[in-house]
mmCIF file of all heavy atoms in Angstrom:
data_model
loop_
_atom_site.group_PDB
_atom_site.id
_atom_site.type_symbol
_atom_site.label_atom_id
_atom_site.label_comp_id
_atom_site.label_asym_id
_atom_site.label_seq_id
_atom_site.Cartn_x
_atom_site.Cartn_y
_atom_site.Cartn_z
ATOM 1 N N ARG A 1 -1.067 -13.755 11.696
ATOM 2 C CA ARG A 1 -2.315 -13.568 10.951
ATOM 3 C C ARG A 1 -2.073 -13.147 9.505
ATOM 4 O O ARG A 1 -2.731 -13.635 8.590
ATOM 5 C CB ARG A 1 -3.159 -12.509 11.666
ATOM 6 C CG ARG A 1 -4.526 -12.201 11.050
ATOM 7 C CD ARG A 1 -5.269 -11.267 11.990
ATOM 8 N NE ARG A 1 -6.530 -10.772 11.475
ATOM 9 C CZ ARG A 1 -7.689 -11.442 11.520
ATOM 10 N NH1 ARG A 1 -7.727 -12.658 12.031
ATOM 11 N NH2 ARG A 1 -8.809 -10.899 11.045
ATOM 12 N N HIS A 2 -1.114 -12.245 9.285
ATOM 13 C CA HIS A 2 -0.979 -11.646 7.958
ATOM 14 C C HIS A 2 0.224 -12.144 7.157
ATOM 15 O O HIS A 2 0.283 -11.907 5.947
ATOM 16 C CB HIS A 2 -0.927 -10.127 8.092
ATOM 17 C CG HIS A 2 -2.216 -9.532 8.555
ATOM 18 N ND1 HIS A 2 -3.330 -9.459 7.755
ATOM 19 C CD2 HIS A 2 -2.583 -9.024 9.768
ATOM 20 C CE1 HIS A 2 -4.323 -8.905 8.428
ATOM 21 N NE2 HIS A 2 -3.898 -8.637 9.651
ATOM 22 N N LEU A 3 1.172 -12.801 7.802
ATOM 23 C CA LEU A 3 2.304 -13.343 7.040
ATOM 24 C C LEU A 3 2.176 -14.846 6.812
ATOM 25 O O LEU A 3 3.094 -15.473 6.296
ATOM 26 C CB LEU A 3 3.624 -13.021 7.753
ATOM 27 C CG LEU A 3 4.048 -11.552 7.740
ATOM 28 C CD1 LEU A 3 5.362 -11.366 8.473
ATOM 29 C CD2 LEU A 3 4.138 -11.013 6.317
ATOM 30 N N ALA A 4 1.035 -15.404 7.188
ATOM 31 C CA ALA A 4 0.818 -16.836 6.974
ATOM 32 C C ALA A 4 0.709 -17.168 5.490
ATOM 33 O O ALA A 4 1.139 -18.239 5.053
ATOM 34 C CB ALA A 4 -0.450 -17.287 7.704
ATOM 35 N N SER A 5 0.164 -16.237 4.702
ATOM 36 C CA SER A 5 -0.067 -16.532 3.276
ATOM 37 C C SER A 5 0.692 -15.594 2.351
ATOM 38 O O SER A 5 0.504 -15.621 1.145
ATOM 39 C CB SER A 5 -1.570 -16.438 2.969
ATOM 40 O OG SER A 5 -2.076 -15.167 3.303
ATOM 41 N N MET A 6 1.534 -14.709 2.885
ATOM 42 C CA MET A 6 2.351 -13.859 2.036
ATOM 43 C C MET A 6 3.754 -13.700 2.595
ATOM 44 O O MET A 6 3.962 -13.893 3.788
ATOM 45 C CB MET A 6 1.774 -12.451 1.816
ATOM 46 C CG MET A 6 0.691 -11.974 2.618
ATOM 47 S SD MET A 6 0.143 -10.309 2.102
ATOM 48 C CE MET A 6 -0.571 -10.673 0.558
ATOM 49 N N THR A 7 4.666 -13.395 1.704
ATOM 50 C CA THR A 7 6.052 -13.246 2.121
ATOM 51 C C THR A 7 6.303 -11.823 2.632
ATOM 52 O O THR A 7 5.527 -10.896 2.365
ATOM 53 C CB THR A 7 7.006 -13.522 0.953
ATOM 54 O OG1 THR A 7 6.827 -12.508 -0.048
ATOM 55 C CG2 THR A 7 6.739 -14.897 0.348
ATOM 56 N N PHE A 8 7.409 -11.665 3.331
ATOM 57 C CA PHE A 8 7.799 -10.342 3.805
ATOM 58 C C PHE A 8 7.986 -9.393 2.626
ATOM 59 O O PHE A 8 7.588 -8.222 2.686
ATOM 60 C CB PHE A 8 9.094 -10.453 4.612
ATOM 61 C CG PHE A 8 9.584 -9.139 5.155
ATOM 62 C CD1 PHE A 8 9.150 -8.681 6.397
ATOM 63 C CD2 PHE A 8 10.487 -8.362 4.436
ATOM 64 C CE1 PHE A 8 9.592 -7.461 6.897
ATOM 65 C CE2 PHE A 8 10.937 -7.148 4.931
ATOM 66 C CZ PHE A 8 10.494 -6.695 6.168
ATOM 67 N N SER A 9 8.571 -9.882 1.532
ATOM 68 C CA SER A 9 8.801 -9.032 0.354
ATOM 69 C C SER A 9 7.500 -8.547 -0.252
ATOM 70 O O SER A 9 7.402 -7.393 -0.701
ATOM 71 C CB SER A 9 9.608 -9.794 -0.700
ATOM 72 O OG SER A 9 10.907 -10.074 -0.229
ATOM 73 N N GLU A 10 6.485 -9.407 -0.276
ATOM 74 C CA GLU A 10 5.180 -9.000 -0.808
ATOM 75 C C GLU A 10 4.561 -7.896 0.045
ATOM 76 O O GLU A 10 4.011 -6.925 -0.474
ATOM 77 C CB GLU A 10 4.244 -10.208 -0.878
ATOM 78 C CG GLU A 10 4.599 -11.199 -1.971
ATOM 79 C CD GLU A 10 3.775 -12.477 -1.900
ATOM 80 O OE1 GLU A 10 3.418 -12.894 -0.769
ATOM 81 O OE2 GLU A 10 3.497 -13.052 -2.969
ATOM 82 N N VAL A 11 4.674 -8.033 1.347
ATOM 83 C CA VAL A 11 4.130 -7.007 2.242
ATOM 84 C C VAL A 11 4.937 -5.716 2.101
ATOM 85 O O VAL A 11 4.370 -4.615 2.103
ATOM 86 C CB VAL A 11 4.132 -7.496 3.700
ATOM 87 C CG1 VAL A 11 3.714 -6.380 4.642
ATOM 88 C CG2 VAL A 11 3.206 -8.689 3.861
ATOM 89 N N ARG A 12 6.242 -5.841 1.947
ATOM 90 C CA ARG A 12 7.078 -4.647 1.782
ATOM 91 C C ARG A 12 6.678 -3.882 0.521
ATOM 92 O O ARG A 12 6.551 -2.661 0.537
ATOM 93 C CB ARG A 12 8.546 -5.060 1.727
ATOM 94 C CG ARG A 12 9.525 -3.884 1.675
ATOM 95 C CD ARG A 12 9.985 -3.572 0.256
ATOM 96 N NE ARG A 12 10.571 -4.743 -0.370
ATOM 97 C CZ ARG A 12 10.757 -4.850 -1.685
ATOM 98 N NH1 ARG A 12 10.378 -3.882 -2.508
ATOM 99 N NH2 ARG A 12 11.297 -5.933 -2.199
ATOM 100 N N ARG A 13 6.463 -4.586 -0.589
ATOM 101 C CA ARG A 13 6.054 -3.912 -1.823
ATOM 102 C C ARG A 13 4.688 -3.244 -1.660
ATOM 103 O O ARG A 13 4.466 -2.132 -2.137
ATOM 104 C CB ARG A 13 6.018 -4.913 -2.986
ATOM 105 C CG ARG A 13 7.398 -5.345 -3.464
ATOM 106 C CD ARG A 13 7.326 -6.044 -4.807
ATOM 107 N NE ARG A 13 6.561 -7.285 -4.740
ATOM 108 C CZ ARG A 13 7.090 -8.472 -4.462
ATOM 109 N NH1 ARG A 13 8.389 -8.581 -4.212
ATOM 110 N NH2 ARG A 13 6.337 -9.555 -4.442
ATOM 111 N N ALA A 14 3.787 -3.912 -0.972
ATOM 112 C CA ALA A 14 2.461 -3.342 -0.732
ATOM 113 C C ALA A 14 2.553 -2.104 0.155
ATOM 114 O O ALA A 14 1.835 -1.120 -0.053
ATOM 115 C CB ALA A 14 1.554 -4.390 -0.096
ATOM 116 N N LEU A 15 3.452 -2.138 1.130
ATOM 117 C CA LEU A 15 3.643 -0.989 2.004
ATOM 118 C C LEU A 15 4.173 0.210 1.212
ATOM 119 O O LEU A 15 3.742 1.351 1.422
ATOM 120 C CB LEU A 15 4.602 -1.345 3.132
ATOM 121 C CG LEU A 15 5.002 -0.217 4.077
ATOM 122 C CD1 LEU A 15 3.777 0.425 4.714
ATOM 123 C CD2 LEU A 15 5.954 -0.738 5.147
ATOM 124 N N GLN A 16 5.084 -0.042 0.293
ATOM 125 C CA GLN A 16 5.597 1.043 -0.543
ATOM 126 C C GLN A 16 4.480 1.640 -1.397
ATOM 127 O O GLN A 16 4.401 2.858 -1.576
ATOM 128 C CB GLN A 16 6.738 0.528 -1.421
ATOM 129 C CG GLN A 16 8.012 0.232 -0.641
ATOM 130 C CD GLN A 16 9.081 -0.428 -1.487
ATOM 131 O OE1 GLN A 16 8.803 -1.352 -2.250
ATOM 132 N NE2 GLN A 16 10.315 0.038 -1.349
ATOM 133 N N ALA A 17 3.607 0.769 -1.914
ATOM 134 C CA ALA A 17 2.473 1.256 -2.709
ATOM 135 C C ALA A 17 1.526 2.088 -1.845
ATOM 136 O O ALA A 17 1.044 3.148 -2.269
ATOM 137 C CB ALA A 17 1.726 0.079 -3.333
ATOM 138 N N LEU A 18 1.261 1.622 -0.634
ATOM 139 C CA LEU A 18 0.401 2.371 0.291
ATOM 140 C C LEU A 18 0.992 3.738 0.599
ATOM 141 O O LEU A 18 0.287 4.754 0.602
ATOM 142 C CB LEU A 18 0.256 1.592 1.601
ATOM 143 C CG LEU A 18 -0.968 0.711 1.817
ATOM 144 C CD1 LEU A 18 -0.922 0.137 3.230
ATOM 145 C CD2 LEU A 18 -2.257 1.471 1.595
ATOM 146 N N SER A 19 2.286 3.764 0.881
ATOM 147 C CA SER A 19 2.956 5.009 1.212
ATOM 148 C C SER A 19 2.864 5.998 0.050
ATOM 149 O O SER A 19 2.640 7.199 0.244
ATOM 150 C CB SER A 19 4.421 4.736 1.561
ATOM 151 O OG SER A 19 5.103 5.928 1.837
ATOM 152 N N THR A 20 2.993 5.500 -1.181
ATOM 153 C CA THR A 20 2.885 6.357 -2.360
ATOM 154 C C THR A 20 1.497 6.976 -2.465
ATOM 155 O O THR A 20 1.341 8.168 -2.732
ATOM 156 C CB THR A 20 3.190 5.553 -3.629
ATOM 157 O OG1 THR A 20 4.539 5.082 -3.566
ATOM 158 C CG2 THR A 20 3.027 6.418 -4.870
ATOM 159 N N TRP A 21 0.468 6.148 -2.226
ATOM 160 C CA TRP A 21 -0.903 6.668 -2.266
ATOM 161 C C TRP A 21 -1.098 7.759 -1.228
ATOM 162 O O TRP A 21 -1.641 8.828 -1.513
ATOM 163 C CB TRP A 21 -1.903 5.535 -2.010
ATOM 164 C CG TRP A 21 -2.287 4.765 -3.236
ATOM 165 C CD1 TRP A 21 -1.966 3.477 -3.534
ATOM 166 C CD2 TRP A 21 -3.060 5.246 -4.351
ATOM 167 N NE1 TRP A 21 -2.485 3.116 -4.750
ATOM 168 C CE2 TRP A 21 -3.161 4.185 -5.275
ATOM 169 C CE3 TRP A 21 -3.669 6.459 -4.649
ATOM 170 C CZ2 TRP A 21 -3.864 4.307 -6.472
ATOM 171 C CZ3 TRP A 21 -4.365 6.591 -5.852
ATOM 172 C CH2 TRP A 21 -4.451 5.523 -6.738
ATOM 173 N N TYR A 22 -0.671 7.527 -0.016
ATOM 174 C CA TYR A 22 -0.927 8.469 1.069
ATOM 175 C C TYR A 22 -0.138 9.764 0.921
ATOM 176 O O TYR A 22 -0.630 10.840 1.259
ATOM 177 C CB TYR A 22 -0.605 7.823 2.414
ATOM 178 C CG TYR A 22 -1.692 6.910 2.918
ATOM 179 C CD1 TYR A 22 -1.419 5.584 3.230
ATOM 180 C CD2 TYR A 22 -2.992 7.368 3.079
ATOM 181 C CE1 TYR A 22 -2.424 4.731 3.692
ATOM 182 C CE2 TYR A 22 -4.000 6.533 3.524
ATOM 183 C CZ TYR A 22 -3.718 5.212 3.838
ATOM 184 O OH TYR A 22 -4.701 4.379 4.282
ATOM 185 N N VAL A 23 1.089 9.667 0.423
ATOM 186 C CA VAL A 23 1.960 10.838 0.401
ATOM 187 C C VAL A 23 1.896 11.584 -0.934
ATOM 188 O O VAL A 23 1.819 12.812 -0.967
ATOM 189 C CB VAL A 23 3.422 10.424 0.707
ATOM 190 C CG1 VAL A 23 4.352 11.624 0.592
ATOM 191 C CG2 VAL A 23 3.507 9.803 2.094
ATOM 192 N N GLU A 24 1.908 10.845 -2.054
ATOM 193 C CA GLU A 24 2.057 11.484 -3.347
ATOM 194 C C GLU A 24 0.778 11.528 -4.176
ATOM 195 O O GLU A 24 0.615 12.405 -5.028
ATOM 196 C CB GLU A 24 3.138 10.750 -4.166
ATOM 197 C CG GLU A 24 4.511 10.751 -3.504
ATOM 198 C CD GLU A 24 5.506 9.889 -4.252
ATOM 199 O OE1 GLU A 24 5.230 9.560 -5.429
ATOM 200 O OE2 GLU A 24 6.546 9.546 -3.678
ATOM 201 N N ARG A 25 -0.141 10.595 -3.945
ATOM 202 C CA ARG A 25 -1.301 10.497 -4.836
ATOM 203 C C ARG A 25 -2.618 10.601 -4.072
ATOM 204 O O ARG A 25 -3.640 10.133 -4.535
ATOM 205 C CB ARG A 25 -1.236 9.162 -5.600
ATOM 206 C CG ARG A 25 0.032 8.978 -6.400
ATOM 207 C CD ARG A 25 0.071 7.629 -7.088
ATOM 208 N NE ARG A 25 -0.988 7.500 -8.070
ATOM 209 C CZ ARG A 25 -1.269 6.355 -8.728
ATOM 210 N NH1 ARG A 25 -0.563 5.272 -8.464
ATOM 211 N NH2 ARG A 25 -2.240 6.308 -9.602
ATOM 212 N N ARG A 26 -2.595 11.251 -2.926
ATOM 213 C CA ARG A 26 -3.794 11.318 -2.089
ATOM 214 C C ARG A 26 -4.977 11.929 -2.822
ATOM 215 O O ARG A 26 -6.117 11.501 -2.662
ATOM 216 C CB ARG A 26 -3.488 12.113 -0.811
ATOM 217 C CG ARG A 26 -4.660 12.253 0.128
ATOM 218 C CD ARG A 26 -4.254 12.936 1.406
ATOM 219 N NE ARG A 26 -3.473 12.064 2.263
ATOM 220 C CZ ARG A 26 -4.000 11.225 3.150
ATOM 221 N NH1 ARG A 26 -5.307 11.152 3.272
ATOM 222 N NH2 ARG A 26 -3.230 10.477 3.895
ATOM 223 N N ARG A 27 -4.745 12.952 -3.639
ATOM 224 C CA ARG A 27 -5.853 13.622 -4.320
ATOM 225 C C ARG A 27 -6.506 12.727 -5.373
ATOM 226 O O ARG A 27 -7.658 12.954 -5.749
ATOM 227 C CB ARG A 27 -5.354 14.913 -4.972
ATOM 228 C CG ARG A 27 -4.975 15.984 -3.943
ATOM 229 C CD ARG A 27 -4.624 17.295 -4.600
ATOM 230 N NE ARG A 27 -4.293 18.310 -3.619
ATOM 231 C CZ ARG A 27 -3.964 19.554 -3.922
ATOM 232 N NH1 ARG A 27 -3.931 19.945 -5.185
ATOM 233 N NH2 ARG A 27 -3.673 20.409 -2.962
ATOM 234 N N GLU A 28 -5.778 11.733 -5.874
ATOM 235 C CA GLU A 28 -6.344 10.800 -6.845
ATOM 236 C C GLU A 28 -7.078 9.644 -6.181
ATOM 237 O O GLU A 28 -7.768 8.877 -6.842
ATOM 238 C CB GLU A 28 -5.222 10.194 -7.715
ATOM 239 C CG GLU A 28 -4.333 11.206 -8.410
ATOM 240 C CD GLU A 28 -3.144 10.507 -9.057
ATOM 241 O OE1 GLU A 28 -3.306 9.358 -9.518
ATOM 242 O OE2 GLU A 28 -2.062 11.103 -9.086
ATOM 243 N N MET A 29 -6.948 9.539 -4.878
ATOM 244 C CA MET A 29 -7.407 8.353 -4.158
ATOM 245 C C MET A 29 -8.926 8.301 -4.109
ATOM 246 O O MET A 29 -9.589 9.228 -3.674
ATOM 247 C CB MET A 29 -6.823 8.358 -2.741
ATOM 248 C CG MET A 29 -6.905 7.033 -2.032
ATOM 249 S SD MET A 29 -5.751 6.957 -0.627
ATOM 250 C CE MET A 29 -6.253 8.365 0.351
ATOM 251 N N LYS A 30 -9.471 7.185 -4.553
ATOM 252 C CA LYS A 30 -10.903 6.950 -4.472
ATOM 253 C C LYS A 30 -11.198 6.137 -3.210
ATOM 254 O O LYS A 30 -10.319 5.437 -2.707
ATOM 255 C CB LYS A 30 -11.385 6.187 -5.711
ATOM 256 C CG LYS A 30 -11.183 6.954 -7.011
ATOM 257 C CD LYS A 30 -11.623 6.127 -8.200
ATOM 258 C CE LYS A 30 -11.392 6.888 -9.502
ATOM 259 N NZ LYS A 30 -11.790 6.086 -10.684
ATOM 260 N N PRO A 31 -12.441 6.212 -2.697
ATOM 261 C CA PRO A 31 -12.775 5.430 -1.503
ATOM 262 C C PRO A 31 -12.450 3.951 -1.693
ATOM 263 O O PRO A 31 -12.804 3.348 -2.700
ATOM 264 C CB PRO A 31 -14.286 5.648 -1.357
ATOM 265 C CG PRO A 31 -14.528 6.981 -1.995
ATOM 266 C CD PRO A 31 -13.564 7.039 -3.157
ATOM 267 N N GLY A 32 -11.740 3.371 -0.740
ATOM 268 C CA GLY A 32 -11.400 1.953 -0.806
ATOM 269 C C GLY A 32 -10.086 1.640 -1.466
ATOM 270 O O GLY A 32 -9.566 0.534 -1.325
ATOM 271 N N THR A 33 -9.494 2.616 -2.184
ATOM 272 C CA THR A 33 -8.246 2.357 -2.910
ATOM 273 C C THR A 33 -7.118 1.844 -2.020
ATOM 274 O O THR A 33 -6.433 0.883 -2.383
ATOM 275 C CB THR A 33 -7.787 3.626 -3.656
ATOM 276 O OG1 THR A 33 -8.792 3.991 -4.603
ATOM 277 C CG2 THR A 33 -6.472 3.380 -4.383
ATOM 278 N N PRO A 34 -6.870 2.439 -0.847
ATOM 279 C CA PRO A 34 -5.730 1.970 -0.042
ATOM 280 C C PRO A 34 -5.835 0.524 0.405
ATOM 281 O O PRO A 34 -4.819 -0.091 0.723
ATOM 282 C CB PRO A 34 -5.751 2.917 1.168
ATOM 283 C CG PRO A 34 -6.514 4.101 0.719
ATOM 284 C CD PRO A 34 -7.532 3.591 -0.228
#
């Protein structure tokens, strides 16, 4: 479902961005940002 239109590397980079939001920038997070 989710790798049909994106590469593993693209998902990996997005996962790193998500992890940064959740761990380091949670207080800056606006609704819908993740």
Side-chain angles (χ1 to χ4, degrees):
R1 182 173 174 82
H2 292 288
L3 290 180
S5 57
M6 13 183 69
T7 66
F8 180 88
S9 294
E10 288 172 327
V11 174
R12 185 262 304 163
R13 287 194 297 270
L15 175 57
Q16 289 173 315
L18 263 184
S19 178
T20 298
W21 274 111
Y22 280 124
V23 176
E24 300 173 17
R25 303 178 64 187
R26 180 175 286 273
R27 291 186 179 181
E28 306 171 34
M29 196 162 57
K30 297 178 181 179
T33 299

